[in-house]
Amino acid sequence: ARKSLRDIDRSTKQTADQFGKAGKAIKTAMTVVALGAVTKFAGDLADRAGMMEGIMRRVSQVFGDNASEVAAWAEESSAAFGESTTTLQGMAAEIGDLLVPIGLSREAAAEMAIETLNAANALSEWTGGKVTVVQAANAMAKAFLGEREQLKTLRSEERRVGKECRSRWSPYH
């Protein structure tokens, strides 16, 4: 019976040691996974910071002294658009970057970019989000350069929504 108890005791110690080793291995693996996640997050954060810096530099280049006007508009409008101020400034810079080379002043390009984005947001809201602000803004920006194909898509969406509104409201007229 004593030998049996010693064997059980020895077996129990060996099992406990194995569980301890497995626990250490799991703890090490979890640490490696956590460090990998932290490293990826730090890398993503650095990428975003670089991207934001690039957008701000582009806004400054495109709009010059009028960049602060675009920044103030983006700050005011970000909630209505559901976009960050940086995203709005980047969108405005893309539009302005098309307008300045065709002869508009930086001030006029800033004003027109803001007006275009406001119109794109209104169109997006009017279609219930079926046409996104980005899609509408891209179509309008391309129209500045004479490309009208995407505007036709917006126009057909406008007609569809108009028909839907008329059919819903016709009993009340």
Side-chain angles (χ1 to χ4, degrees):
R2 248 190 189 153
K3 184 177 180 188
S4 219
L5 287 175
R6 272 192 245 133
D7 289 343
I8 292 173
D9 186 45
R10 191 176 320 125
S11 176
T12 304
K13 285 181 182 176
Q14 287 174 346
T15 303
D17 287 345
Q18 288 176 348
F19 275 121
K21 289 176 185 175
K24 287 179 183 175
I26 290 171
K27 186 177 178 182
T28 301
M30 294 294 282
T31 302
V32 167
V33 168
L35 286 173
V38 167
T39 302
K40 181 172 178 3
F41 176 75
D44 290 349
L45 196 58
D47 289 347
R48 286 188 188 273
M51 191 171 72
M52 288 175 62
E53 185 179 314
I55 290 171
M56 304 317 324
R57 195 172 30 253
R58 186 172 184 199
V59 168
S60 182
Q61 279 179 325
V62 171
F63 299 119
D65 294 338
N66 300 291
S68 59
E69 177 187 332
V70 173
W73 166 81
E75 186 71 36
E76 275 176 31
S77 304
S78 64
F81 277 73
E83 298 285 349
S84 71
T85 57
T86 305
T87 299
L88 288 180
Q89 288 180 63
M91 290 170 67
E94 286 180 29
I95 293 169
D97 208 13
L98 297 174
L99 300 173
V100 172
I102 61 173
L104 268 69
S105 70
R106 295 187 187 291
E107 180 180 3
E111 289 172 13
M112 198 163 185
I114 290 170
E115 288 176 19
T116 302
L117 289 170
N118 284 334
N121 189 43
L123 179 63
S124 178
E125 288 177 358
W126 191 66
T127 63
K130 186 167 182 182
V131 174
T132 67
V133 173
V134 173
Q135 290 169 324
N138 285 340
M140 292 175 185
K142 286 185 177 185
F144 294 145
L145 301 175
E147 298 176 32
R148 308 250 188 274
E149 201 57 41
Q150 286 186 354
L151 283 179
K152 291 176 186 176
T153 306
L154 296 180
R155 181 71 181 143
S156 66
E157 182 60 23
E158 177 187 354
R159 285 185 184 134
R160 184 198 64 78
V161 171
K163 285 178 185 175
E164 188 178 311
C165 288
R166 282 191 298 281
S167 68
R168 285 187 183 174
W169 293 101
S170 62
Y172 303 105
H173 286 94

